Amino acid sequence: MSTPSNDKKVVLVIGAGDATGGAIAKRFAREGYIACVTRRSADKLQPLVDEIRAAGGEAHGFASDARKEEEVAALVEQIESEIGAIEAFVFNIGANVPCSILEETARKYFKIWEMACFSAFLTGQAVARRMVTRGRGTILFTGATAGLRGASHFAAFAGAKHGVRALAQSMARELGPLNIHVGHVVVDGAIDTAFIRDTFPAIYARKDQDGILNPEHIADSYWFLHAQPRDAWTFELDLRPWIEKW
């Protein structure tokens, strides 16, 4: 096992999909951070890893189930011991699956909570324990409108995202005085993804007038939060297109 150099800085993105998570990893990589990215399937990460490397950055992809404590512990240990110190952590798992409360199943409700909330606790805690020993670090959670108010047919997702917001608030109040910057980003609006393009073409048509969120612009805000001086830290930042109703 190799010992990482002390000057190597890592950003760990849990849930590095093709849009927001991937854009965040690329943004930090441009600043010289080693991008460590995860999904449950490592094969889906290869295009992102290849893109970062082609641009001159360093990236590593990991297959990891963020709902399983032992896998989370092994992931953080491998990164910290073989690659570098996790200076920035981004939790970006969504699990947005609408369903009527009259038809929702206990199994699916629990799974959505596991994916979008419980895994935030497991991964956030594992990374925070490392950061506290160094006395520095940034922990950012991706939130949603559902974390502020529940909507019809979104009881499971809203419950999970409310939980993530509460987790972030508690962590920020406890870890802030230890020089760990914890932030919560409310993404309020459709994001420029293949899913929106194929499933909601009318919404996607707003792209031409800047009516849906550009993942690269979302990523800029994550870097902004990480780079903030500690005399002016932001806890919660909400992002939405200029025409979004809220």
Side-chain angles (χ1 to χ4, degrees):
M1 180 182 297
S2 61
T3 301
S5 170
N6 290 333
D7 60 355
K8 287 188 174 182
K9 296 181 178 181
V10 171
V11 58
L12 171 58
V13 182
I14 302 292
D18 300 328
T20 303
I24 293 168
K26 289 184 284 186
R27 182 67 179 85
F28 276 75
R30 291 205 307 270
E31 300 292 341
Y33 281 63
I34 301 171
C36 291
V37 293
T38 78
R39 292 178 75 163
R40 279 183 290 172
S41 173
D43 292 342
K44 294 181 179 179
L45 288 168
Q46 199 57 49
L48 173 60
V49 170
D50 290 343
E51 184 178 353
I52 291 173
R53 291 174 177 172
E58 183 175 346
H60 304 272
F62 299 88
S64 179
D65 190 336
R67 300 171 298 174
K68 297 182 178 179
E69 187 174 11
E70 60 279 5
E71 290 193 26
V72 170
L75 170 71
V76 172
E77 172 60 27
Q78 182 179 357
I79 293 171
E80 290 267 341
S81 62
E82 299 179 10
I83 300 175
I86 301 171
E87 298 287 340
F89 166 80
V90 177
F91 178 82
N92 189 59
I93 295 178
N96 187 351
V97 185
C99 183
S100 166
I101 192 63
L102 303 177
E103 300 172 359
E104 187 64 273
T105 65
R107 179 177 180 276
K108 186 157 69 69
Y109 187 99
F110 183 74
K111 183 176 181 180
I112 290 172
W113 172 80
E114 266 193 318
M115 291 176 64
C117 185
F118 182 60
S119 59
F121 156 70
L122 289 178
T123 54
Q125 180 191 61
V127 171
R129 285 172 170 167
R130 302 299 180 118
M131 290 181 174
V132 165
T133 64
R134 292 186 287 268
R136 67 181 187 274
T138 302
I139 296 174
L140 302 174
F141 295 95
T142 299
T145 313
L148 306 180
R149 61 182 182 273
S152 174
H153 288 71
F154 289 92
F157 186 59
K161 282 300 184 181
H162 270 70
V164 170
R165 187 174 187 237
L167 171 70
Q169 289 175 342
S170 295
M171 289 180 66
R173 291 184 169 99
E174 179 178 350
L175 301 179
L178 301 179
N179 200 35
I180 311 300
H181 184 187
V182 180
H184 180 252
V185 182
V186 179
V187 181
D188 180 21
I191 301 173
D192 185 359
T193 62
F195 172 76
I196 295 297
R197 181 193 63 211
D198 298 338
T199 310
F200 304 102
I203 294 176
Y204 192 79
R206 301 175 190 167
K207 179 180 178 178
D208 292 339
Q209 54 179 324
D210 298 326
I212 60 176
L213 289 140
N214 182 326
E216 293 183 359
H217 297 162
I218 296 174
D220 285 338
S221 292
Y222 280 73
W223 175 256
F224 161 75
L225 289 173
H226 174 60
Q228 281 184 320
R230 64 181 182 176
D231 66 321
W233 273 351
T234 296
F235 166 69
E236 191 160 74
L237 182 70
D238 51 341
L239 305 173
R240 63 181 59 85
W242 63 284
I243 60 173
E244 186 75 21
K245 295 180 179 179
W246 60 291

